[in-house]
Amino acid sequence: MSEIPETASGVIWQSSPPGSIYDYIKVASFSIGPDGLVDQWSRRAVDLFGITADEVRGKDPVEVFMPAELRPRGRRQVAEILDGKEWTGLVPFRMPRQRGAHGVAEVYVMPSETESGDKAALCIVVDVRALRRIESDLAASEAIFGQSPFGFLLFGTDLTVQRANQRFATVFGGAAEDHRGRTVHDYLSRPEAERMNASLRRVLETGESAIDLQIVGAVPGSTERRHWSINLYRVHSGSGHPIGVAGIGTDVTRRNNAAREAASARRNLALLNEASARIGNSLDLETTARELLDVAVPGFCDLASVDLYQGLLTGDEAPPGRADGSAELRRVAFASAVSDAPLIATPGCSQDESTPTAVGEVHHYPFNSPCASALRTARVQSIPGEEGTLVQSTFAVPMVAHDTVVGLVQFSRTKGSEPFGERDRALAVELAARAAVCIDNARLYRREHERALILQRSLLPPGDPEAAGLDIACRYLPGNTATEVGGDWFDVIELPGHRTALVVGDVMGRGLRAAVAMGELRTAVRTLALLDLEPAEVLSALDEIARGLGTPSGAQQASRVAHKSREADLSEVYLATCVYAVYDPVTRRCTFANAGHLPPVLVEPGEEALLLDVPPGMPLGVGGEPFEEVEVELPEGALLALYTDGLVESRDHPLDEGLRAFRTALTDPVHPLEDVCDHVLNTLDTRHGEDDIALLMARIQGLPVDAVGDWRLPREPRSVGRARELARAQLVAWDLEALVDTVELLVSELVTNALRYGEGEIRLRLLRDRTLVCEVWDAGLVQPRRRRARDTDEGGRGLQLVGLLSAAWGSRRTPRGKTVWFELPLPDGDSTSEPTVEQLLSMF
């Protein structure tokens, strides 16, 4: 409606906008003077009869538009009207401009008087055809609206309900008229109501219909969650102006339940298939437990943990646990699909529920607890969550193998997830049973082959290491040829950005004990390297780990007096030296950190070999002193050698003599690296058998300039599009068009995150070698965190896309902020499979 002013007398005037009821029924008017002739002719009469005012004014209306056979009666009627008689009736009329065309008008005649007191008449005319059309439209509208088997609502432009049909009122109570003036907040929860309101507003503003909008709620008097499919479309007046939004709702709860049941069955079958493929690939107890959780989380539950009997882990021959379920267990694995979810104590299953059991902790369950009951009876226990906690419900499932309970696995779902059902109970039992058989097999294998497993863990990785910008060759000769194990090790670790970590270390001592220590430290080095720490930080952390590894365990502490001398020997095993270097092929710069190890040797083309001046630092396991770093620029073609003291030191000659001979053997190494390694070992008097020998050589081959794309982008929204353009152009220049779509998408996500959450200028870098690496740099210190987006979230899936579409991704600190990166295989290399439809849909 148009603006409505109010007069001083309280009378409200308003004008009818185009599209009002008067436009539909086409009301016209004219007047007849005392002489029986037309003296006034309205514009609507012109539209209705098709005769202009000039053509009819001053003429007999009967002659103008009535058929000849009706004119005598028409004249009598006009005479009666002028005599002061009101009259209403249907009057046929001819349309002068349309030959043979006749219409029917409903005429209401009111006698009137002129200023001189003469009798006249005012005629109100309605086209009967328009009235019939309105009646037909109203009848059709009422039939559709009132008799529809679906809930039908009409919202006004203020998004309040203007009309509801009886089907809607039947569901939500009351009469249809009772719902007039309500809003969606009267029917839905706040989040769903806001989502519905946003859709209504969007449809009203844009005119684009909303199809199959999924809404969840409950009807009055019931707590059952109902699902509705809503279709919204904008409603217009006759003149095309929006007057509201119509909504049709269909209850699809049964369909959703059936689909959910079918999806659950498919998911369970897929989980069992995955469990068959993934659980039991290792004959290691802890690994098998983690494999079980890798399958279960998040595909089956949100949180899960595995407890195994301590006796089983220590290799006792006796049955794993006592019959009452109270024997000691160790938490060997925990997994969570909830971001930053802490360890959670199962209600009633802990002495102190405020302190949940951590991975590696030895504990036991109270006798009357549900978990102890599950262990005692070998039956699943369902444990509801407590008010105010994250967990909705938990299955405590005993792990039974060959009629023996070996441990307990707990599957938990958090509030907001679908509750566990009977089918889920059966699946939980099956998963636990499969893992239990594998764990029991691993227990038997561990008991029979414990020494073989220790040796296997201590062995160095087979094969020739590869690294971007480096040609690598290596040799390892154990000092004890009988067991072929020792305490020296080397490693080549690929880091993000095509960088490479080169490691050589030496555990003091020899034989099996040194090999065990070497395996543990090498694993720790790889783990720390993957955290992308600076070399000095890696050695500092490794020093802490080495000291921790030398500390007696709880069982040893209980018999400390009896085994004091043995503990002293164990502590000596974990004293080690190590040199750790990180090489960047883009800048050809290498950063070294040393923990009591011999200095690296560098041979530049045409120059003599020299010892790099890297501060030696203290050996690992001593502690108390920080480690220093040295950065060296390595020229193209230079040779870098890392080694252990068994190569240059023996009983027959001092260390200085051995180092001099080593440098002489490396001078001007023009031959292939493998030949250089052989030449060194054949030239030096190593006295093989006295000590372990590790030799790692790397020839510098920096990345070509044309294999690097590096750009700086301003901190503004258009930089996202600019980044995509730069990445596309660079990939086309590299003939990597097959990766354009994926790289554009992932670059867009990372640059957008840098704009939203980072700081300072943004830097984009593409590196091409054996794989393609993309890096986005910014000055922000906050590391990105991948999270699981809910179905209703409009965002939060960027890093999920990066993780799904890339071969690897991560972030690392830089001196001036952070770098977020992802890696893709080249089209002609080993490529990862494309994501399945289920993987893509799982994010939404």
Side-chain angles (χ1 to χ4, degrees), residues 66 95 171 265 286 334 368 425 427 437 459 494 526 589 648 734 825:
M66 288 193 68
M95 301 178 181
V171 175
E286 291 83 353
F334 172 79
N368 293 322
R425 177 188 290 264
L427 178 61
V437 172
L459 292 177
E494 294 186 35
R526 294 191 67 88
R589 300 188 71 84
V648 295
W734 285 340

Side-chain angles (χ1 to χ4, degrees), residues 597-812:
H597 203 78
L598 294 173
V601 175
L602 178 65
V603 187
E604 298 186 9
E607 301 291 337
E608 292 185 356
L610 56 89
L611 298 175
L612 291 179
D613 185 14
V614 180
M618 298 297 292
L620 301 175
V622 175
E625 293 292 333
F627 298 97
E628 298 181 39
E629 294 180 357
V630 172
E631 188 175 73
V632 179
E633 184 171 355
L634 305 178
E636 187 78 11
L639 178 65
L640 178 66
L642 306 179
Y643 52 97
T644 57
D645 58 1
L647 182 67
V648 295
E649 186 179 28
S650 71
R651 299 173 184 173
D652 298 335
H653 57 78
L655 176 61
D656 291 342
E657 183 179 335
L659 287 174
R660 188 162 46 250
F662 180 40
R663 292 167 57 193
T664 301
L666 289 176
T667 300
D668 196 19
V670 296
H671 301 290
L673 274 185
E674 294 293 334
D675 295 342
V676 174
C677 287
D678 293 338
H679 173 70
V680 168
L681 294 177
N682 293 331
T683 301
L684 299 183
D685 183 12
T686 59
R687 294 289 193 271
H688 178 52
E690 294 182 1
D691 196 3
D692 307 327
I693 295 175
L695 174 62
L696 176 62
M697 289 188 176
R699 180 167 284 142
I700 306 304
Q701 299 172 347
L703 287 183
V705 176
D706 59 358
V708 179
D710 197 348
W711 307 275
R712 297 183 184 275
L713 303 172
R715 188 168 191 79
E716 54 189 28
R718 65 179 181 178
S719 291
V720 178
R722 178 61 177 160
R724 289 195 297 266
E725 295 172 1
L726 293 170
R728 184 190 312 116
Q730 186 65 75
L731 291 178
V732 171
W734 285 340
D735 295 327
L736 297 178
E737 290 85 353
L739 300 180
V740 167
D741 291 340
T742 301
V743 172
E744 279 190 332
L745 174 61
L746 301 188
V747 164
S748 179
E749 292 294 341
L750 294 190
V751 174
T752 299
N753 278 355
L755 286 173
R756 288 181 177 176
Y757 309 113
E759 297 175 8
E761 186 181 52
I762 298 171
R763 181 181 177 189
L764 172 66
R765 191 166 77 167
L766 293 179
L767 308 176
R768 184 198 64 186
D769 192 68
R770 290 176 293 119
T771 61
L772 177 71
V773 172
C774 173
E775 299 176 331
V776 175
W777 308 47
D778 70 84
L781 298 177
V782 178
Q783 298 293 315
R785 176 173 57 84
R786 183 174 176 178
R787 67 183 181 87
R788 184 179 180 87
R790 296 173 299 180
D791 294 346
T792 56
D793 288 347
E794 296 184 359
R797 299 179 177 87
L799 292 181
Q800 285 185 277
L801 280 174
V802 174
L804 182 63
L805 298 181
S806 64
W809 78 279
S811 66
R812 68 177 185 271

Side-chain angles (χ1 to χ4, degrees), residues 247-364:
I248 302 175
T250 306
D251 192 328
V252 293
T253 304
R254 291 184 179 179
R255 185 179 72 189
N256 278 22
N257 290 342
R260 188 165 58 250
E261 285 292 322
S264 176
R266 289 194 299 270
R267 182 192 66 207
N268 291 353
L269 288 175
L271 277 172
L272 288 176
N273 182 59
E274 185 181 5
S276 299
R278 296 180 61 180
I279 300 176
N281 292 323
S282 170
L283 287 171
D284 177 77
L285 299 173
E286 291 83 353
T287 301
T288 303
R290 287 192 296 270
E291 288 171 348
L292 168 61
L293 300 193
D294 288 342
V295 172
V297 180
F300 176 66
C301 60
D302 301 315
L303 302 167
S305 63
V306 175
D307 297 323
L308 298 179
Y309 279 117
Q310 177 70 355
L312 180 147
L313 294 167
T314 56
D316 292 346
E317 295 295 331
R322 292 194 294 272
D324 62 0
S326 63
E328 285 189 336
L329 300 105
R330 185 193 301 173
R331 177 68 49 88
V332 295
F334 172 79
S336 170
V338 183
S339 298
D340 299 330
L343 298 171
I344 296 175
T346 304
C349 289
S350 177
Q351 298 288 356
D352 183 6
E353 296 185 6
S354 63
T355 307
T357 305
V359 174
E361 185 176 340
V362 177
H363 66 102
H364 72 276

Side-chain angles (χ1 to χ4, degrees), residues 198-222:
S199 298
L200 287 169
R201 193 173 295 107
R202 184 165 53 250
V203 171
L204 186 62
E205 292 174 354
T206 66
E208 296 181 0
S209 301
I211 306 300
D212 195 23
L213 177 64
Q214 296 294 316
I215 296 295
V216 178
V219 300
S222 174

